[in-house]
Structure formats: C-alpha cells, structure tokens
Amino acid sequence: MMLNALETPRRQLAEIDYALLWSVLLLLFTGMVMVYSASIAIAEAGRGTGFQPTYYLTRHAVFLAIGLGAAAVAFQVPLSLWQRYAPLLFMVGVALLAIVLIPGIGKDVNGARRWLPLGIANLQPSELMKLFAVLYAADYTVRKINVMHDLKQAFLPMFGAMAVVGMLLLKEPDFGAFVVIISIAMGILFLGGLKARLFILLIVGLLAAFAVLIIVSPYRRDRVFGFMDPWADAFGRGYQLSHSLIAFGRGELFGVGLGASVEKLFYLPEAHTDFLLAVIAEELGFFGVLAVIALFALVVQRAFAIGRQSVQLDRLYPALVAMGIGIWIGVQSFINMGVNMGLLPTKGLTLPLMSFGGSGILANCVALAILLRVDWENRQLMRGGKL
C-alpha cells in the first residue's frame, strides 16, 4: 500500500514537461541568489531588518518554500475543479481588492495601498487576482464560446467585470497590475474566438483609455516624461531609470561579478524588487540578462505549446488556462524588463519568479503548477489513460 502511494508521485514526475520545470526552477533559484545580492546593503542598514544582511534572503527563502509547497498541492487539483470554482475565486479576488482599500485595514507603502497585513507578512491581492483572472477568463470564454462573435453577449459582460477590477486597482493605485490583468482577459477572449475586428477596436479603445489615464494623472504624466528623457531630471523623476541604465552600462558583456554591484548600494531604489534585472545586468552582464530572457521565453513558449496540445485534444478550458498563464508571464516580464532598460515608463511591477515578494512568488508558483497539471493531463489522455 505504501509502495503504491510512493509510486504515484514518481509516475507523475516522470510524465511532465521537464523543459518547463527546469526553466522555472532556474528562474526561481537564480532569483533567490540575486535577491540576496541586491538586498545585502539595505538589509544591513535597515532598522526594520534587525541590521541582518540575510534578512531579505531568509524571507525570500521562506516565501519560496511556501510557494513550492502550494504548487505541489495545486498540481494535484484537476483542471475540472479549477474550472468549477473559477467564478468563486474571481469574486474572492474582487472582495480582497475592495478590502485592501478600507482605511485601517489596507497597508500604505510609498503612497500606495496594495497590501493586507497578516502579521509576519503582507498579502498583495492584485498578485492573486492575476491568477484568478486567468482561471475566470478561461471559464467565461468556454461558457460563451458559441456567442463569441456577439459584442453584447461575449464582450460586454467581461468588460464590466474587468472595469470593476480596474477601478479597484487604480484606486490603490496599481496601474501595472491593471495592464497585466487586462492583457490576460483580452488575450484569452481573442484566443477563444473573439472577432478580429472587435479585438482591434478594443485595443484602440484601451490605448485611448490609457492615454486619458496618463494625461489626467500628474503622477503618471511625470513618469512618462521621466521615461522619455531621464537625464533631464536625473535627481528627480528620472532618478530610478537613470541609475538602472548606469547599472546596465557598468555590466557590459560579462558583468562586474556576483555581489560587486555599486548601484545596489543605496543608489538604485527597489533593487531587490522592481529593478532586480538592473542588478543582474550589472553583476552578470549582457549574457546574464540574455540567459534570463531566454528562460522566460522558454516558459512562455512551453505554455503556448501545452495550450495548443490541449486544443488538439479538444480540451478548451485547459488550453485557455495554459495560454493565459503564458500571456501573464510574458506580458509582466516584458514590462519589467522594458522598464529596467528604459523602453517603457516606470511601473511598479516585479519580475515574475525572481523578484522579492511573497504574494508574487506564491501566485507564480501555483500558476506554473497548474500549467504543469495541464501538460500532465494531456499526456494521460494521449496514452489512453484516465484523469
């Protein structure tokens, strides 16, 4: 009996996508090393860290252990169960986004209220909402698959749901998470059969809405102008980007060496979170950044390959979930990298799987476990087995 119990996990491990698994593990553990390197100086100098250089490393390792534990559990959950509870999870996510805005409950950090304090750690609902948006948008698309050509029946209800989420996120404010979640929802609708004409009109409308949001907000407007010419105000609105670019320049081809970054020594704000890639560029150089980009590209490619395989097996919900996770990881990593390289305006988005942050690591690990589950279920059906 015990032998059979041990054999099941072994058999599951033998039937998963190892290219995906190893690329994810490499990103996770490389991220842990780089978080430690990027955070040593601020940890030693911070009163809230007990002046311990390993403060952020220890917390990140704990978050990673929790995330991998949650991933192991999530991998055991069939996709049919995720689909059944997708609307409920989405409503839970909306409720958490609303609760975080209540004064006295949500925690303010640097002028943004995005966290729910849980004693030893903070929960960021917007990170969980990205996962819930994937699950819900895929379920919604499957339910509406026969009317995807109809603007009123297919698009408007989802637009209403995303509008509620968007208003709550912009109240925090968390414009970066808003962009990622909208990208997930619209990408899944398009993959599910939304007419190209409607999709193009939607993209134009969203771009116009983003332009209005930037114009009417002095904060966002300053970030855009700072991004266009960070050197014009290198000690003001262009401070983060200018130091990120300096880090990239110092790294050259092979970097200055692991742990030898200068920019992380109180010059580059949020070095262990939003600007971790800049530290990687400085310490590991062009080839280090190229390796990170290649790993993310592999994760996204495998997500879409698994999704296409699900379509061939006539499994639409798992297919849309897999591709939705690929969109999420791809869009968020692209935005973070673009910000670090000065290609996009500065946004408060972390690098998936790598940056410091418990909620992000947890959501990413669970999402990738679900993706591996989709692949595992595909393999069972292809060899004539049962789920």
Side-chain angles (χ1 to χ4, degrees), residues 226-277:
F227 142 75
M228 294 172 67
D229 186 6
W231 308 108
D233 187 11
F235 294 99
R237 63 192 181 193
Y239 183 81
Q240 283 180 306
L241 179 53
S242 61
H243 281 280
S244 180
L245 294 175
I246 290 171
F248 271 85
R250 290 194 76 245
E252 298 185 346
L253 285 178
F254 300 102
V256 296
L258 184 62
S261 167
V262 170
E263 286 301 315
K264 70 184 181 186
L265 304 177
F266 309 103
Y267 293 105
L268 182 62
E270 310 298 336
H272 60 303
T273 55
D274 299 352
F275 284 89
L276 185 67
L277 188 70

Side-chain angles (χ1 to χ4, degrees), residues 34-229:
M34 295 312 303
V35 163
Y36 180 42
S37 177
S39 65
I40 292 175
I42 58 171
E44 285 182 328
R47 293 182 182 275
T49 65
F51 306 103
Q52 296 295 319
T54 58
Y55 175 81
Y56 289 105
L57 171 65
T58 302
R59 290 177 67 83
H60 191 79
V62 170
F63 294 149
L64 189 55
I66 293 171
L68 291 174
V73 174
F75 180 77
Q76 302 300 323
V77 179
L79 265 294
S80 58
L81 206 58
W82 287 113
Q83 183 175 9
R84 183 186 308 171
Y85 290 103
L88 177 60
L89 290 172
F90 184 78
M91 288 188 286
V92 169
V94 172
L96 289 174
L97 289 177
I99 291 171
V100 80
L101 296 173
I102 300 174
I105 297 181
K107 182 178 180 180
D108 285 293
V109 178
N110 297 329
R113 185 179 294 165
R114 303 175 185 172
W115 297 268
L116 291 172
L118 301 178
I120 60 173
N122 298 317
L123 175 68
Q124 189 172 355
S126 60
E127 292 293 339
L128 299 182
M129 195 65 207
K130 294 169 188 173
L131 173 60
F132 298 159
V134 170
L135 299 173
Y136 176 71
D139 174 61
Y140 176 88
T141 303
V142 170
R143 287 188 280 111
K144 299 283 186 175
I145 195 66
N146 294 323
V147 293
M148 287 304 290
H149 62 281
D150 191 303
L151 177 66
K152 183 178 179 181
Q153 294 185 65
F155 171 69
L156 291 182
M158 176 60 79
F159 175 81
M162 290 300 110
V164 172
V165 172
M167 286 188 293
L168 293 172
L169 287 171
L170 293 175
K171 281 283 187 182
E172 294 184 4
D174 195 345
F175 189 69
F178 172 60
V179 172
V180 173
I181 289 172
I182 290 296
S183 299
I184 290 169
M186 296 306 102
I188 288 176
L189 281 180
F190 178 70
L191 292 169
L194 187 68
K195 277 189 174 181
R197 184 181 62 181
L198 294 178
F199 186 74
I200 292 170
L201 289 173
L202 172 62
I203 294 298
V204 172
L206 285 173
L207 290 174
F210 289 154
V212 170
L213 287 171
I214 290 168
I215 292 169
V216 301
S217 170
Y219 167 74
R220 296 190 186 101
R221 193 165 60 244
D222 286 345
R223 284 204 165 189
V224 170
F225 288 126
F227 142 75
M228 294 172 67
D229 186 6

Side-chain angles (χ1 to χ4, degrees), residues 6 11 19 23 33 66 160 245 278 286 295-296 349 361 372:
L6 290 172
R11 185 170 62 83
S23 58
V33 171
I66 293 171
L245 294 175
F286 170 79
L295 287 171
F296 275 110
L349 273 178
I361 290 292
L372 286 168

